[in-house]
Amino acid sequence: SFPVEGAGVKKASLGGGNSSAADGGDSCPLTPQCSIAPATAAEAPAASMWPAPSPAAASQVRIPTAVVRVPPPLDPSRAFLRAIKDGDVAQVDAIWTKHRDVLDLERRSMWEHTPLTCAAYYGHEAVGLRLLDLGADPTALNEHGAGALLFAALEQRPMLLTKLLEDGHVDPS
Protein backbone atom coordinates (compact mmCIF):
# COMPACT_ATOMS: atom_id res chain seq x y z
CA SER A 1 0.00 0.00 0.00
CA PHE A 2 1.17 3.53 -0.68
CA PRO A 3 1.11 6.57 1.60
CA VAL A 4 -2.04 8.63 1.18
CA GLU A 5 -2.58 12.19 0.05
CA GLY A 6 -3.28 13.40 3.56
CA ALA A 7 0.20 12.32 4.64
CA GLY A 8 1.87 14.86 2.37
CA VAL A 9 1.74 12.71 -0.75
CA LYS A 10 -0.31 13.62 -3.79
CA LYS A 11 -1.69 11.10 -6.25
CA ALA A 12 0.78 11.04 -9.10
CA SER A 13 0.71 9.87 -12.65
CA LEU A 14 3.73 8.29 -14.24
CA GLY A 15 2.66 10.20 -17.32
CA GLY A 16 2.18 9.28 -20.93
CA GLY A 17 0.92 5.78 -20.30
CA ASN A 18 -2.42 4.03 -20.43
CA SER A 19 -3.83 5.73 -17.34
CA SER A 20 -7.01 7.64 -18.07
CA ALA A 21 -9.87 9.44 -16.42
CA ALA A 22 -12.15 6.53 -17.30
CA ASP A 23 -10.18 4.11 -15.16
CA GLY A 24 -9.64 6.66 -12.37
CA GLY A 25 -6.03 7.20 -13.42
CA ASP A 26 -4.91 4.36 -11.21
CA SER A 27 -3.30 2.04 -13.74
CA CYS A 28 0.41 2.24 -14.17
CA PRO A 29 1.61 2.90 -17.74
CA LEU A 30 4.59 0.62 -17.20
CA THR A 31 2.98 -2.57 -15.92
CA PRO A 32 -0.68 -3.56 -15.66
CA GLN A 33 -0.33 -5.09 -12.18
CA CYS A 34 1.04 -1.83 -10.74
CA SER A 35 -1.25 0.80 -9.20
CA ILE A 36 -0.77 4.36 -8.04
CA ALA A 37 -1.39 5.58 -4.49
CA PRO A 38 -5.01 6.19 -3.40
CA ALA A 39 -6.17 9.78 -3.79
CA THR A 40 -7.90 10.10 -0.44
CA ALA A 41 -7.63 8.68 3.05
CA ALA A 42 -10.99 6.92 2.54
CA GLU A 43 -9.51 4.90 -0.34
CA ALA A 44 -6.41 3.97 1.66
CA PRO A 45 -6.09 0.69 3.55
CA ALA A 46 -6.27 0.81 7.33
CA ALA A 47 -2.55 0.29 7.90
CA SER A 48 0.33 1.53 5.80
CA MET A 49 3.55 -0.45 5.50
CA TRP A 50 5.57 2.78 5.15
CA PRO A 51 5.74 5.59 7.63
CA ALA A 52 4.22 8.85 6.48
CA PRO A 53 6.88 11.02 4.83
CA SER A 54 7.65 14.47 6.11
CA PRO A 55 6.30 17.37 4.03
CA ALA A 56 9.87 18.18 2.91
CA ALA A 57 10.41 14.61 1.67
CA ALA A 58 7.05 14.59 -0.09
CA SER A 59 8.01 17.68 -2.08
CA GLN A 60 11.00 15.77 -3.47
CA VAL A 61 8.99 12.90 -4.95
CA ARG A 62 10.34 12.16 -8.41
CA ILE A 63 8.33 10.80 -11.28
CA PRO A 64 10.26 8.12 -13.19
CA THR A 65 11.35 9.01 -16.69
CA ALA A 66 12.68 6.83 -19.47
CA VAL A 67 16.05 7.57 -20.99
CA VAL A 68 16.45 6.44 -24.55
CA ARG A 69 20.00 6.13 -25.70
CA VAL A 70 20.59 6.30 -29.42
CA PRO A 71 23.91 4.79 -30.45
CA PRO A 72 26.17 7.05 -32.46
CA PRO A 73 26.34 6.29 -36.17
CA LEU A 74 29.05 3.86 -37.20
CA ASP A 75 32.16 5.32 -38.76
CA PRO A 76 32.40 4.48 -42.48
CA SER A 77 34.96 1.68 -41.98
CA ARG A 78 32.81 -0.10 -39.41
CA ALA A 79 29.65 0.42 -41.46
CA PHE A 80 31.46 -0.98 -44.53
CA LEU A 81 32.57 -4.07 -42.61
CA ARG A 82 29.07 -4.51 -41.13
CA ALA A 83 27.54 -4.41 -44.64
CA ILE A 84 30.12 -7.00 -45.80
CA LYS A 85 29.37 -9.30 -42.87
CA ASP A 86 25.63 -8.92 -43.51
CA GLY A 87 26.09 -9.75 -47.20
CA ASP A 88 24.39 -6.52 -48.26
CA VAL A 89 25.83 -5.68 -51.70
CA ALA A 90 23.67 -2.57 -52.10
CA GLN A 91 24.90 -1.19 -48.77
CA VAL A 92 28.53 -2.08 -49.63
CA ASP A 93 28.14 -0.12 -52.89
CA ALA A 94 26.45 2.82 -51.18
CA ILE A 95 29.11 3.11 -48.49
CA TRP A 96 31.94 2.64 -51.00
CA THR A 97 30.48 5.31 -53.31
CA LYS A 98 30.07 7.82 -50.50
CA HIS A 99 33.28 7.14 -48.53
CA ARG A 100 35.80 5.64 -50.96
CA ASP A 101 38.32 8.33 -50.03
CA VAL A 102 38.50 7.04 -46.42
CA LEU A 103 37.90 3.32 -46.98
CA ASP A 104 40.71 0.84 -47.49
CA LEU A 105 39.97 -2.45 -49.24
CA GLU A 106 42.99 -3.96 -47.47
CA ARG A 107 42.22 -2.74 -43.94
CA ARG A 108 42.65 -5.59 -41.48
CA SER A 109 40.07 -6.56 -38.90
CA MET A 110 40.78 -7.91 -35.44
CA TRP A 111 41.56 -11.37 -36.88
CA GLU A 112 43.55 -9.91 -39.78
CA HIS A 113 40.71 -10.40 -42.27
CA THR A 114 40.52 -8.04 -45.20
CA PRO A 115 37.06 -7.12 -46.47
CA LEU A 116 37.41 -9.80 -49.19
CA THR A 117 38.47 -12.59 -46.81
CA CYS A 118 35.66 -11.52 -44.47
CA ALA A 119 33.06 -11.76 -47.26
CA ALA A 120 34.37 -15.19 -48.27
CA TYR A 121 34.50 -16.35 -44.63
CA TYR A 122 30.81 -15.46 -44.17
CA GLY A 123 29.93 -17.06 -47.52
CA HIS A 124 28.74 -13.84 -49.17
CA GLU A 125 29.67 -14.59 -52.76
CA ALA A 126 28.05 -11.51 -54.33
CA VAL A 127 29.85 -9.20 -51.90
CA GLY A 128 33.16 -10.98 -52.56
CA LEU A 129 32.71 -10.60 -56.31
CA ARG A 130 31.88 -6.91 -55.90
CA LEU A 131 34.98 -6.36 -53.73
CA LEU A 132 37.15 -7.99 -56.40
CA ASP A 133 35.59 -5.63 -58.98
CA LEU A 134 36.47 -2.71 -56.69
CA GLY A 135 40.10 -3.85 -56.57
CA ALA A 136 40.43 -5.96 -53.43
CA ASP A 137 43.62 -8.04 -53.21
CA PRO A 138 42.69 -11.68 -53.87
CA THR A 139 46.00 -12.93 -52.39
CA ALA A 140 45.54 -11.39 -48.92
CA LEU A 141 45.76 -13.88 -46.06
CA ASN A 142 44.60 -13.65 -42.45
CA GLU A 143 46.74 -14.33 -39.37
CA HIS A 144 46.48 -18.10 -39.93
CA GLY A 145 47.48 -17.97 -43.60
CA ALA A 146 43.93 -18.47 -44.87
CA GLY A 147 42.59 -16.37 -47.70
CA ALA A 148 39.48 -15.79 -49.74
CA LEU A 149 40.20 -18.87 -51.90
CA LEU A 150 40.09 -21.24 -48.91
CA PHE A 151 36.97 -19.65 -47.44
CA ALA A 152 35.18 -19.63 -50.82
CA ALA A 153 35.97 -23.35 -51.17
CA LEU A 154 34.83 -24.15 -47.63
CA GLU A 155 31.60 -22.20 -48.12
CA GLN A 156 31.08 -23.76 -51.58
CA ARG A 157 30.90 -20.49 -53.51
CA PRO A 158 31.73 -21.55 -57.10
CA MET A 159 31.43 -18.13 -58.78
CA LEU A 160 33.82 -16.58 -56.28
CA LEU A 161 36.22 -19.55 -56.63
CA THR A 162 36.17 -19.23 -60.39
CA LYS A 163 36.83 -15.48 -60.27
CA LEU A 164 39.71 -15.93 -57.83
CA LEU A 165 41.32 -18.65 -59.97
CA GLU A 166 40.65 -17.13 -63.40
CA ASP A 167 42.30 -13.85 -62.58
CA GLY A 168 45.53 -15.81 -62.06
CA HIS A 169 46.29 -13.96 -58.84
CA VAL A 170 45.74 -16.93 -56.58
CA ASP A 171 47.83 -20.09 -56.70
CA PRO A 172 45.57 -23.03 -55.88
CA SER A 173 48.46 -25.15 -54.55
Side-chain angles (χ1 to χ4, degrees):
S1 167
F2 288 61
V4 295
E5 187 176 57
V9 176
K10 300 222 182 264
K11 183 174 181 180
S13 167
L14 293 176
N18 54 11
S19 180
S20 69
D23 66 6
D26 61 349
S27 64
C28 176
L30 303 177
T31 57
Q33 64 271 25
C34 179
S35 65
I36 306 299
T40 66
E43 296 175 349
S48 175
M49 59 190 253
W50 293 304
S54 68
S59 68
Q60 296 177 6
V61 172
R62 297 183 190 263
I63 298 174
T65 58
V67 176
V68 177
R69 298 190 189 275
V70 177
L74 293 176
D75 69 80
S77 295
R78 285 180 178 244
F80 190 60
L81 187 58
R82 171 60 28 212
I84 290 167
K85 286 181 176 182
D86 290 344
D88 189 342
V89 178
Q91 190 68 17
V92 168
D93 279 338
I95 295 168
W96 177 257
T97 300
K98 187 174 181 180
H99 300 286
R100 79 175 51 166
D101 56 325
V102 296
L103 294 175
D104 180 7
L105 289 175
E106 305 313 317
R107 181 179 178 185
R108 301 297 177 129
S109 69
M110 181 172 61
W111 304 113
E112 293 297 311
H113 284 290
T114 64
L116 177 60
T117 57
C118 185
Y121 177 83
Y122 285 99
H124 299 307
E125 188 170 52
V127 172
L129 291 169
R130 182 66 184 126
L131 291 170
L132 285 170
D133 291 342
L134 293 174
D137 179 8
T139 63
L141 304 175
N142 70 7
E143 65 182 358
H144 298 291
L149 182 67
L150 174 65
F151 294 129
L154 290 172
E155 293 296 323
Q156 300 175 8
R157 300 298 182 235
M159 292 178 10
L160 184 55
L161 278 168
T162 302
K163 178 81 169 165
L164 288 166
L165 292 171
E166 281 179 351
D167 288 348
H169 297 292
V170 179
D171 181 10
S173 55

